[in-house]
Structures are given as structure tokens and as C-alpha cells.
Amino acid sequence: MFTAILLDKNDDGATSARLAQLDERALPADGDVLVRADYSTINYKDGLAITGKAPVVRSWPMVPGIDGAGEVIASSHPDWKAGDEFILNGWGVGESYWGCLAQRARLKGGWLIARPPGMSARTAMAIGTAGYTAMLCVMALEEQGVAPDSGDILVTGASGGVGGIAVALLANRGYRVVASTGRLAEADYLASLGAAEVIDRAALSTPAKPLQKERWAGVVDSVGSHTLANAVAQTRYGGSVAACGLAQGMDFPASVAPFILRGVRLIGIDSVMAPPPKRVAAWARLAKELDADKLAAITREIGLAEALVQAPELLAGKVRGRLVVNVNA
């Protein structure tokens, strides 16, 4: 038996979420690696699944948790054996396949990557998909030639998990980072992560003019909607915008003007289905470049029961940084 968060759909269509004791035999049979998930985390998508605020769950009942880190118990996959340490991010886990907000999971070996040497399961989940996505954004900007001497980098949603880690990573590489947040009381916290300047998200969250004063050499945006439209309209000639989230909305009420008059590049960042080589590269860089003290400042540890409480708080924008879930607590 093992403990898990279990989601089900009530007769009225609402989502119910509870802690449950499950038999290992209840795990879906289509995975080829049985794992012990020591730590998981709550991402925005997990919050949507647990609360039922959006139809992200594709199959019922469901164990949420798009991230996991722990140890392989048994495997019929050629790349994995008992005792191997793994990281899981995405691949539809927690949506279509049972996830890692649980003490056990049965997963497909092709979804897993090896934990970088010396990285604990807890550290991996303090980083989680949020940090992995932030690194993919940094890598995308670098691939487009955005360098520390190119100019200011805007990070939106900076008080969240993706934003906070993006600020820390970029500042560590010598970029001047401007952090946008709806919680200006967090200015000192963002400065401690490396932000050179903090601005109110209200300046970016209203309908955008097609072209605005050129400000940003690059942007990491986890917000979408009007915020992304304004960020694009303010990006300098030849600059690049890495878009990875939709906290404000899925719409993009923008103009083509920045793309055809300034050569701005909008790059979509997908962390869910990214190929293994890109994942391995991102995690190797995270292991080397993410300051441990800054990660600790971003992170709070909770247990499975508290994850149920924190999910709606996360969606409401009331959670600073990262929540790492100790599935045994």
C-alpha cells in the first residue's frame, strides 16, 4: 500500500481531491518502470488539476503530479535498473497518466532522465518543471544571440517558480534583469535573487499598443495575454521573447508590427514534450549554474496533505517561489 493524492469526478462534474491509501496493483499497467517517488512538487498545472479549475485531467481517477524524483524499484526498460536515481517532468503525467504526488508510480522509461551526480531528489523537485522551464527559456534566448551586453532582460511573473528561477539564472550569467510582479512587497526578495529592478505588473497587464518604446533585449514570459503582448511591443530591434506560460490568459491580443518592423522573435517554450537530449542539457546546466542559497530562498517544503491546501493558493498567485512536496510527510 502507498499514499497518494487521488482525483475523481463527482456526479455533478466537480473534481474531488483527497489523500488515499492505494494498492500497488492499482497502478496503471502500461509503464515499464516502477519507482519510489521521494519528492514531488506543485506546478500551476497541478493546481489546476487538484482544484478542477481547468480541464487538464484527461482520465479518471487520476493521481496528479507532473514532476517526480526518487529511485527505481523495478524495471523492464533497458535503460533503467533497480536503484537508479531519476527525474520526471511532463509527458502528460498527472493529466493522462498517473503522476508523482504519491509514494509510488509506474512510468515509461523513455520519460525519465538520470539525476545529475550529487543532486538530491529534494533539490531536483525544488527546481522541478518550473526551474527546468526557466532554463529552457534562458537557453532559447542564448540560442538567439541574446547576451549579457545586449541590454535589459524582462522576467514576468517573477514571484512565481519559473520567474524566480529565471531571475536567478540570468543574473548569475551577468544579465541585467528587470522583474515584473504583482507583489511589490517582494521587491527585496527579488533583489536577493539578482533582479536589478522591480516593476509593477500593472504596467504590462492592460491592452497593448502595437509598438511601444524599445526596452528589452530579451523577455522570459510566464504570464501570456496582455502582458506578453506588451512585452513583445516593448522588445528592442532584433530582440527575442521566450513564452512559456499563461497565468494571465491563453489569448495573445497583439499586433504583427513588432515582428515585421523590429524583427522581434517570439519563441514558444514547451517543457512537457521536449526531447530527452534537451532535458539532459537543461538539467546539467541547472546542476552547475543555479545558486543553492538562492534556490533555498525560493523553496518551501510541504507534505501531501498540505499540497491539497496550497493548490488553490498557488492559482491565486499567493505562493512565493517553489513548493517541494515530501510525499512521505
Side-chain angles (χ1 to χ4, degrees), residues 63-98:
V63 173
I66 68 174
D67 286 346
E71 187 173 295
V72 172
I73 296 173
S75 171
S76 60
H77 190 282
D79 293 341
W80 297 94
K81 65 183 185 303
D84 286 346
E85 298 177 335
F86 75 92
I87 297 173
L88 168 79
N89 307 111
W91 297 112
V93 173
E95 302 171 76
S96 300
Y97 307 94
W98 281 22

Side-chain angles (χ1 to χ4, degrees), residues 106-151:
R106 184 173 284 118
L107 305 167
K108 295 184 179 180
W111 296 341
L112 309 179
I113 67 166
R115 273 206 322 270
M119 179 181 286
S120 69
R122 187 187 187 281
T123 296
M125 290 297 94
I127 298 169
T129 284
Y132 151 60
T133 302
M135 179 55 84
L136 291 178
C137 290
V138 172
M139 291 165 63
L141 294 181
E142 291 176 343
E143 289 165 3
Q144 296 300 317
V146 180
D149 61 359
S150 299

Side-chain angles (χ1 to χ4, degrees), residues 236-251:
R236 293 166 52 175
Y237 189 92
S240 297
V241 178
C244 64
L246 42 72
Q248 187 179 9
M250 192 180 292
D251 58 328

Side-chain angles (χ1 to χ4, degrees), residues 18-324:
R18 61 185 175 89
L19 285 187
Q21 291 293 313
L22 302 176
D23 192 298
E24 209 170 87
R25 291 171 294 184
L27 290 168
D30 56 351
D32 49 14
V33 182
L34 176 67
V35 303
R36 185 190 75 227
D38 297 323
Y39 288 90
S40 184
T41 180
I42 304 181
N43 295 285
Y44 194 82
K45 191 177 289 184
D46 297 313
L48 293 174
I50 290 169
T51 62
K53 294 293 186 183
V56 299
V57 175
R58 311 297 183 191
S59 175
W60 303 92
M62 177 58 59
V63 173
I66 68 174
D67 286 346
E71 187 173 295
V72 172
I73 296 173
S75 171
S76 60
H77 190 282
D79 293 341
W80 297 94
K81 65 183 185 303
D84 286 346
E85 298 177 335
F86 75 92
I87 297 173
L88 168 79
N89 307 111
W91 297 112
V93 173
E95 302 171 76
S96 300
Y97 307 94
W98 281 22
C100 290
L101 281 167
Q103 294 170 330
R104 295 287 186 274
R106 184 173 284 118
L107 305 167
K108 295 184 179 180
W111 296 341
L112 309 179
I113 67 166
R115 273 206 322 270
M119 179 181 286
S120 69
R122 187 187 187 281
T123 296
M125 290 297 94
I127 298 169
T129 284
Y132 151 60
T133 302
M135 179 55 84
L136 291 178
C137 290
V138 172
M139 291 165 63
L141 294 181
E142 291 176 343
E143 289 165 3
Q144 296 300 317
V146 180
D149 61 359
S150 299
D152 287 358
I153 307 297
L154 172 68
V155 176
T156 68
S159 295
V162 174
I165 294 180
V167 168
L169 289 169
L170 288 161
N172 184 60
R173 294 190 65 77
Y175 291 86
R176 185 180 189 276
V177 182
V178 178
S180 168
T181 180
R183 291 178 275 169
L184 291 179
E186 302 282 19
D188 289 344
Y189 159 71
L190 292 168
S192 74
L193 297 181
E197 185 180 343
V198 177
I199 62 174
D200 193 331
R201 73 178 178 197
L204 297 166
S205 60
T206 56
K209 295 179 180 179
L211 283 175
Q212 301 172 38
K213 181 180 178 180
E214 296 179 61
R215 300 187 64 184
W216 320 117
V219 178
V220 173
D221 176 67
S222 61
V223 179
S225 191
H226 295 296
T227 297
L228 177 57
N230 277 296
V232 168
Q234 295 173 10
T235 298
R236 293 166 52 175
Y237 189 92
S240 297
V241 178
C244 64
L246 42 72
Q248 187 179 9
M250 192 180 292
D251 58 328
F252 181 45
S255 163
V256 298
F259 307 114
I260 63 176
L261 297 178
R262 291 182 180 165
V264 171
R265 288 156 289 190
L266 178 60
I267 310 159
I269 304 299
D270 167 51
S271 60
V272 176
M273 304 300 289
K278 182 171 284 190
R279 293 169 182 263
V280 171
W283 277 99
R285 285 190 55 175
L286 285 161
K288 294 178 181 178
E289 297 180 25
L290 185 55
D291 184 278
D293 291 336
K294 290 181 179 179
L295 181 61
I298 293 171
T299 304
R300 177 159 60 97
E301 182 174 323
I302 61 175
L304 277 175
E306 193 176 353
L308 294 171
V309 177
Q310 290 297 321
E313 298 292 295
L314 178 69
L315 297 186
K318 297 179 180 179
V319 173
R320 171 205 277 188
R322 302 283 298 129
L323 294 171
V324 59

